[in-house]
Amino acid sequence: MATTFASDYQAIGINPANLGRVGGSTVAFTIGEFGAGAGSQSLTRQQLRKFIFDTGQRLTLTDKQELARAFTSDNALNFNADATTLALAVQLPVIGGIAISNRVRSAGHVALNQTAAEIAFLGRDAPIYTSASAGNLPLVTEALAGTDLQLAVMNEFNLAWGTRVLDLPLLQVSAGAGYRYIQGVGIVDIRVQPGSLRAYSSMSPVFDLNYGDMVNDPSFNLRNGGSGLQPVGKGHGFDLGLAVEAGKAVRLGVAVTDIGHMTWEGNLLTANDQKLKQLKSEGIGSYNFIKEAAEIFATGTDSLFTYQTGQERRAELPTKLRAGAGLRISEFFEAGLDVTLPLNNVAGNITTPFIGAGLDYKPTRWLRLSSGVTGGAGYGISVPLGLTLATKVYEAGISTRDVAGLLTSENPYLSVAAGFLRFKLGGKTQ
């Protein structure tokens, strides 16, 4: 429903044309909103929780063997997180709606074939090493075909604008555009298919990875030390959207988001197809999966690949097509359908189309309840549930993207999204 009903600054990155709709708040702003989710179609609920809440816990040999089996999956792990530090939207006469925000967003996808999963968790004791000598190891594209390991972390500064372009009694059309300057905090993009290897990484010092002797290579554009989200890349992104209101009840929306590219230039490593390297370590030793997996797959110290250093690499942003339709059944009920399609296969994008159907119910003027059914993007079927308290000035909300899986599923989708410092002035309560 977001493509049609997201309003004010929440339309940034979704559909900037919604900023051109008439009747919303004159001014809306927030300080600190966040959302995070993680899902798996192969891990158990207990295993998934440990990767989120017990990252310092060490793995036993039994843990490693169980996780090697569980991570042998096309959707072993999918995760995303967004944090908005500040956002502001204003409605101006003639001009339309303008919104700005700063947002840190991250997304990741892990798919490992059996050999990759065994190497990741068993290290030098993986069956492929114990059954063959180092000189007889196969090519990476033969041994690891079907493996994807992707992570992207971006710090964005957004500007969006939407305005009404057609205003008839029973038909209103708005158009919008968005621009973002992006600081790249980190990326890992490893995709292995038979005869094809795409592998590169560029990670900020905040991840505290060990690059070993590669730091002495004069072609290695080392970024070391500093504080905060020190960038190792930069880029520019654009959003385009249209929003249609037909009569009092029907809303339609379509948008293309994240058009553009990044240039990664710090701590950059790339690899081509080669013979699989023999690991020296015992593999991942704790539930701190992101850091330890990055050191095995994406750095040059004890990695599966022999990496080459580089100065910069250009990569597309995770472009998506979003389309939605909404129906205002009454002043108490709104229903909608949303579809999001990935337009490229890069780190940070969803892996498959995402579809969601939702219903908003307002039992009172100050309370809104939201639920529905969603599926796709590697997360399976989920049932979201949200609660929003709203007055003419203040709004607070909290939601989970899969209440059913949180309570009952063996392979759940754990998530939470919340915003407690939202303020809206002028106009009417949404």
Side-chain angles (χ1 to χ4, degrees), residues 182 234-237 258-263 314-317:
I182 308 169
K234 59 186 177 182
H236 306 273
D258 282 317
I259 305 166
H261 70 273
M262 294 287 298
T263 300
R314 176 170 165 153
E316 293 181 338
L317 289 175

Side-chain angles (χ1 to χ4, degrees), residues 83-388:
T84 299
T85 60
L86 174 68
L88 169 69
V90 296
Q91 286 287 332
L92 301 174
V94 182
I95 295 176
I98 297 176
I100 60 172
S101 75
N102 168 238
R103 178 177 64 170
V104 179
R105 62 170 171 163
S106 62
H109 168 65
V110 179
L112 304 179
N113 74 357
Q114 182 177 345
T115 300
E118 291 171 344
I119 292 174
F121 288 98
L122 302 177
R124 61 174 180 257
D125 297 321
I128 193 171
Y129 295 137
T130 58
S131 63
S133 62
N136 293 324
L137 290 174
L139 292 173
V140 169
T141 54
E142 296 173 357
L144 306 184
T147 292
D148 290 347
L149 186 68
Q150 298 179 314
L151 167 70
V153 184
M154 316 281 194
N155 184 26
E156 304 174 343
F157 300 89
N158 294 283
L159 171 65
W161 166 69
T163 189
R164 178 75 42 97
V165 295
L166 179 64
D167 194 356
L168 300 175
L170 295 177
L171 180 66
Q172 296 84 41
V173 179
S174 300
Y179 164 76
R180 60 179 55 90
Y181 173 72
I182 308 169
Q183 294 177 330
V185 179
I187 191 166
V188 174
D189 196 350
I190 299 171
R191 282 172 276 158
V192 189
Q193 295 298 329
S196 173
L197 170 66
R198 176 189 178 97
Y200 75 95
S201 69
S202 178
M203 301 289 281
S204 168
V206 72
F207 293 97
D208 192 28
L209 299 180
N210 181 10
Y211 290 98
D213 294 337
M214 302 191 80
V215 300
N216 300 318
D217 191 322
S219 65
F220 190 47
N221 192 1
L222 178 65
R223 301 286 175 86
N224 188 23
S227 60
L229 301 176
Q230 183 177 350
V232 287
K234 59 186 177 182
H236 306 273
F238 302 90
D239 303 330
L240 298 172
L242 287 173
V244 177
E245 296 175 71
K248 299 289 186 180
V250 178
R251 286 179 175 176
L252 304 173
V254 62
V256 180
T257 61
D258 282 317
I259 305 166
H261 70 273
M262 294 287 298
T263 300
W264 298 95
E265 53 193 8
N267 298 343
L268 178 66
L269 298 173
T270 61
N272 297 314
D273 197 12
Q274 57 196 260
K275 282 200 171 185
L276 194 67
K277 283 178 59 180
Q278 174 85 48
L279 283 193
K280 300 176 183 178
S281 73
E282 296 179 349
I284 295 172
S286 74
Y287 284 97
N288 191 354
F289 178 82
I290 294 177
K291 182 178 186 299
E292 296 201 36
E295 290 183 339
I296 290 174
F297 287 92
T299 67
T301 51
D302 186 25
S303 171
L304 292 177
F305 313 134
T306 298
Y307 276 100
Q308 294 82 45
T309 59
Q311 293 295 309
E312 66 176 37
R313 184 184 182 107
R314 176 170 165 153
E316 293 181 338
L317 289 175
T319 311
K320 304 176 188 68
L321 172 65
R322 307 179 63 105
L327 178 65
R328 187 181 296 273
I329 301 170
S330 71
E331 63 177 311
F332 303 106
F333 288 97
E334 290 180 343
L337 177 69
D338 243 23
V339 178
T340 303
L341 304 176
L343 297 183
N344 53 23
N345 182 13
V346 300
N349 213 340
I350 58 177
T351 56
T352 57
F354 180 81
I355 301 175
L359 181 70
D360 275 4
Y361 171 52
K362 297 179 182 179
T364 69
R365 293 179 60 87
W366 52 269
L367 176 63
R368 182 168 74 244
L369 304 175
S370 305
S371 189
V373 178
T374 65
Y379 288 106
I381 302 298
S382 60
V383 179
L385 179 65
L387 182 151
T388 302

Side-chain angles (χ1 to χ4, degrees), residues 373-427:
V373 178
T374 65
Y379 288 106
I381 302 298
S382 60
V383 179
L385 179 65
L387 182 151
T388 302
L389 303 176
T391 70
K392 291 184 178 180
V393 176
Y394 176 72
E395 185 175 286
I398 188 168
S399 67
T400 176
R401 297 180 193 175
D402 188 19
V403 65
L406 184 65
L407 297 175
T408 64
S409 176
E410 273 300 303
N411 305 123
Y413 176 22
L414 304 178
S415 71
V416 64
F420 301 109
L421 294 174
R422 303 173 184 164
F423 299 90
K424 297 187 176 184
L425 307 175

